[in-house]
């Protein structure tokens, strides 16, 4: 069943026809062409498909297009505002928080969601927030370091 | 990964409209809340619903409300993350917030609802034991009207509950409780996060005013029977008694006897039974100490 849906995607109002059963992940990748969002497991376990829906991180592999009317979606493509990388992106680049990079869009979206709520997280806070994001390469240490550095960047920016 | 088969989807904006839809479309439809069980069933188990009715546009099914008479109502569409972070619940029933925090990841908990967790009726559903231990009631609505069922009576078996296909779970209500009530939920699974409970234990009791006797004791076990169950012999053994380590051990042993675990890919029945004993004992002792201050403490004090 096709349905006309109107939602906000990375800040832009978007109207399109989509089958209601189409997964948000597939809509983004196959119909809209935003392939930054990745599919790891397809069952909510790995976090590679994480996007923000109405400001909150969710697994796009479990969201149906039919649920999107009026929603606001932010994907990895919308994290950067203008030419400037977001603080989490900068920190992941600088600290080597990515190796193969497959988990990285999800890690970044989840880290962004954490730092929006808490710009001074402890290591335990970070581990808790990222427990639904799997990485098979980095061993996590550098990811955690990157989130801590991003937090520090955000805090020093807020002071200025 | 497999994709979902096409289906029609409806988004009614009133209960009336929802029931009319169900009548019109007939059997084979499914309600959709957060979709974290339903979409998985469609992708992994090949479930093809004839149609899907999204409940999220129905008014009045969200939020946590503290009523003047002390009851707390939790709308069926309230997410696990909302329960986990609710100031009202954190103050009154921190162990309930704890049980919600045990579900999946933050991404999952932003979608997973309490109504879905109950309706799906998995024996390991993480918020069921704590809610049963608080003597919560469910409100169930259909075109025919509304009825109330104690959550303890709501489950009928794995994936089975008392609702008929045209009924919607609208809210869960926790009755007024004593200010001296304490509790704890322990989810036992060797993988720290993102795993289902091998054993879940919720304990709730009220500490006597003068002496520290345990009153109105509720001990509820998850994942060790076809539905969450109360361990009534264990409850009776603690009722009116002052908790000690030795008594907690004895009560735990009774709870282990009452469990009806199965062996499966996660664990053997014997192991589950032994863990019911150990976790019940721990939960009783932890409840007396007060809520854990962090998830690390919550994790470590299970042992
Ligand atoms: C990766 C992952 C990890 C998970 N981890 C856990 C875990 O640790 N612990 C745990 O307990 N669960 C876990 N779950 C299962 C699931 O997230 C929960 O059971 C969740 O609470 C289901 O809620 P939902 O809103 O997503 O339900 P949905 O998937 O929307 O619905 C589930 C079922 O209930 C019915 N239903 C939903 N709401 C109502 C209602 N109001 N009235 C009548 N029927 C209704 C639907 O028709 C459907 O059959 C996990 C799931 C995933 C994908
Ligand atoms: S692809 Fe969605 S969680 Fe793995
Ligand atoms: S960098 Fe390869 S999976 Fe994380």
């Amino acid at each position: 069943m096709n349905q006309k849906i109107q939602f906000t995607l990375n800040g832009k109002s978007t109207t399109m026809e989509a089958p209601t059963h189409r997964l948000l992940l597939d809509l983004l990748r196959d119909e809209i062409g935003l392939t930054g969002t990745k599919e790891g497991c397809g069952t909510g376990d790995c976090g590679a498909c994480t996007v923000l829906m109405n400001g909150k991180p969710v697994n796009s592999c479990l969201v149906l297009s039919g649920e999107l009317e009026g929603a606001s979606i932010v994907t990895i493509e919308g994290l950067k505002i203008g030419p400037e990388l977001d603080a989490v992106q900068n920190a992941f680049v600088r600290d080597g928080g990515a190796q193969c990079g497959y988990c990285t869009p999800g890690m970044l979206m989840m880290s962004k969601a954490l730092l929006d709520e808490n710009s001074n997280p402890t290591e335990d806070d970070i581990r808790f927030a990222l427990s639904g994001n799997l990485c098979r390469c980095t061993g996590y240490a550098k990811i955690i370091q990157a989130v801590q550095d991003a937090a520090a960047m955000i805090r020093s920016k807020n002071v200025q | 990964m497999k994709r979902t088969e096409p289906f029609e989807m409806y988004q009614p904006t009133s209960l009336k409209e929802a029931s009319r839809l169900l009548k019109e479309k007939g059997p084979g439809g499914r309600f959709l809340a957060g979709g974290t069980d339903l979409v998985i069933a469609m992708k992994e188990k090949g479930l093809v619903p004839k149609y899907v009715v999204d409940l999220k546009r129905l008014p009045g099914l969200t939020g946590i409300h503290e009523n003047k008479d002390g009851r707390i109502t939790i709308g069926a569409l309230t997410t696990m993350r909302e329960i986990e972070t609710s100031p009202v619940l954190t103050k009154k029933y921190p162990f309930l917030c704890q049980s919600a925090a045990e579900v999946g990841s933050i991404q999952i908990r932003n979608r997973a609802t309490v109504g879905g967790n109950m309706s799906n009726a998995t024996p390991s559903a993480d918020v069921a034991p704590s809610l049963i231990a608080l003597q919560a009631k469910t409100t169930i609505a259909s075109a025919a009207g509304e009825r109330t069922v104690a959550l303890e009576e709501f489950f009928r078996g794995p994936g089975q509950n008392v609702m008929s296909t045209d009924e919607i779970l609208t809210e869960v209500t926790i009755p007024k409780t004593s200010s001296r009530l304490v509790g704890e939920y322990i989810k036992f699974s060797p993988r720290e996060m993102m795993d289902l409970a091998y054993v879940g234990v919720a304990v709730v009791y009220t500490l006597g005013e003068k002496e520290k006797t345990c009153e109105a004791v509720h001990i509820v076990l998850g994942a060790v029977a076809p539905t969450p169950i109360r361990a009534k012999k264990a409850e009776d053994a603690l009722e009116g008694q002052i908790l000690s380590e030795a008594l907690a051990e004895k009560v735990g042993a009774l709870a282990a006897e009452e469990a009806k675990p199965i062996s499966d890919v996660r664990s053997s029945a014997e192991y589950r039974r032994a863990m019911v004993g150990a976790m019940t004992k721990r939960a009783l002792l932890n409840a007396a100490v007060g809520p854990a201050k962090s998830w690390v403490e919550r994790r470590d004090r299970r042992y």
Side-chain angles (χ1 to χ4, degrees):
Chain A
M1 181 169 108
N2 266 328
Q3 190 185 35
K4 193 172 142 195
I5 44 173
Q6 188 172 7
F7 64 109
T8 306
L9 178 58
N10 294 332
K12 273 190 220 123
S13 176
T14 306
T15 308
M16 64 188 292
E17 285 254 333
T20 48
H21 72 280
R22 178 84 73 241
L23 300 167
L24 172 57
L25 172 71
D26 294 340
L27 191 77
L28 291 169
R29 291 183 54 88
D30 301 342
E31 303 198 19
I32 301 173
L34 294 180
T35 54
T37 304
K38 303 292 185 236
E39 175 175 29
C41 62
T43 52
D45 292 290
C46 78
C49 66
T50 303
V51 301
L52 304 184
M53 182 170 184
N54 301 325
K56 298 190 179 102
V58 302
N59 304 109
S60 64
C61 68
L62 299 180
V63 175
L64 301 168
S65 296
E67 302 176 78
L68 290 178
E69 182 64 33
S72 164
I73 302 293
V74 180
T75 68
I76 185 69
E77 289 88 353
L79 195 52
K80 181 171 114 187
I81 299 169
E84 287 268 325
L85 288 181
D86 187 87
V88 280
Q89 291 172 307
N90 268 320
F92 270 67
V93 169
R94 210 179 56 194
D95 293 341
Q99 283 187 21
C100 80
Y102 200 80
C103 70
T104 311
M107 287 286 178
L108 289 170
M109 297 315 286
M110 197 57 220
S111 304
K112 169 76 179 162
L114 167 68
L115 296 176
D116 281 350
E117 270 178 23
N118 176 6
S119 62
N120 200 3
T122 62
E123 179 180 334
D124 286 340
D125 292 337
I126 298 170
R127 286 186 183 278
F128 184 75
L130 293 181
S131 62
N133 291 78
L134 297 183
C135 174
R136 301 290 83 170
C137 306
T138 65
Y140 301 103
K142 293 188 173 199
I143 291 175
I144 288 161
Q145 182 62 51
V147 179
Q148 281 170 328
D149 286 349
M153 279 186 234
I154 290 166
R155 289 197 306 275
S156 74
K157 221 180 198 165
N158 289 347
V159 170
Q160 281 163 17
Chain B
M1 173 48 60
K2 274 176 65 175
R3 267 25 194 179
T4 57
E5 295 292 328
F7 50 78
E8 297 171 74
M9 181 156 148
Y10 301 95
Q11 297 182 305
T13 52
S14 71
L15 271 173
K16 240 192 185 150
E17 196 188 331
S19 359
R20 202 178 331 118
L21 249 169
L22 290 172
K23 212 177 221 159
E24 204 179 286
K25 300 281 159 200
R30 282 302 187 109
F31 292 122
L32 170 71
T36 58
D37 279 318
L38 189 68
V39 177
I40 294 286
M42 297 193 283
K43 288 174 113 178
E44 283 200 321
K45 296 177 196 140
L47 171 77
V48 186
K50 204 170 121 198
Y51 60 99
V52 168
V53 178
D54 186 4
L55 301 175
K56 291 192 290 296
R57 314 258 155 184
L58 295 180
L61 298 192
T62 55
I64 298 160
H65 306 284
E66 197 172 13
N67 300 285
K68 283 209 186 72
D69 59 8
R71 287 173 312 132
I72 291 188
T73 49
I74 306 176
L77 292 180
T78 306
T79 65
M80 294 294 170
R81 186 71 176 154
E82 285 167 331
I83 293 176
E84 173 187 358
T85 57
S86 154
V88 174
L89 293 178
T90 301
K91 197 159 142 253
K92 289 191 88 156
Y93 309 121
F95 54 91
L96 176 60
C97 304
Q98 238 174 64
S99 5
E102 295 286 3
V103 173
S105 59
I106 292 178
Q107 291 96 315
I108 292 289
R109 298 199 291 281
N110 275 332
R111 298 272 297 164
T113 66
V114 62
N117 199 232
M118 299 305 99
S119 302
N120 208 57
T122 310
S124 61
D126 272 309
V127 295
S130 299
L131 284 172
I132 293 173
L134 285 167
Q135 293 174 270
K137 294 185 174 59
T138 58
T139 307
I140 299 170
S142 72
E146 230 177 59
R147 59 181 179 131
T148 307
V149 176
L151 187 59
E152 195 183 332
E153 311 290 326
F154 179 83
F155 302 104
R156 282 285 169 254
Q160 307 291 321
N161 62 50
V162 297
M163 292 190 290
S164 58
T165 49
D166 64 338
E167 286 185 310
I168 297 173
L169 177 60
T170 56
E171 63 187 27
V172 177
T173 305
I174 302 170
K176 181 178 159 59
T177 52
S178 161
S179 59
R180 285 172 282 110
L181 176 143
V182 296
E184 173 88 336
Y185 176 67
I186 296 184
K187 173 181 187 167
F188 178 73
S189 57
R191 256 192 92 198
E192 207 41 64
M193 299 198 178
M194 301 299 290
D195 199 357
L196 298 182
Y198 287 42
V199 168
V201 179
V203 304
V204 166
Y205 55 89
T206 302
L207 285 167
E209 206 150 13
K210 291 202 200 79
E211 286 178 285
K212 296 257 167 175
T213 48
C214 300
E215 291 159 15
V217 179
H218 283 75
I219 299 175
V220 186
L221 312 177
V224 290
T227 67
I229 54 165
R230 275 177 68 185
K232 292 195 179 163
K233 283 195 198 116
E235 291 175 357
D236 289 346
L238 183 57
E239 190 67 35
Q241 304 296 313
I242 293 173
L243 187 68
S244 64
E245 179 138 3
L247 182 56
E249 176 99 31
K250 190 178 137 206
V251 173
L254 285 170
E257 274 175 34
E258 287 177 86
K260 302 175 188 71
I262 54 162
S263 294
D264 66 8
V265 57
R266 282 171 208 279
S267 134
S268 69
E270 291 77 5
Y271 184 65
R272 281 206 166 93
R273 193 183 293 285
M275 287 306 109
V276 168
M279 294 303 135
T280 303
K281 172 186 171 186
R282 261 297 132 237
L284 289 169
L285 295 170
N286 290 351
V289 176
K293 278 164 207 70
S294 66
W295 72 266
V296 178
E297 187 185 336
R298 182 171 95 212
R299 175 191 70 192
D300 293 347
R301 75 178 197 172
R302 294 182 309 190
Y303 305 110

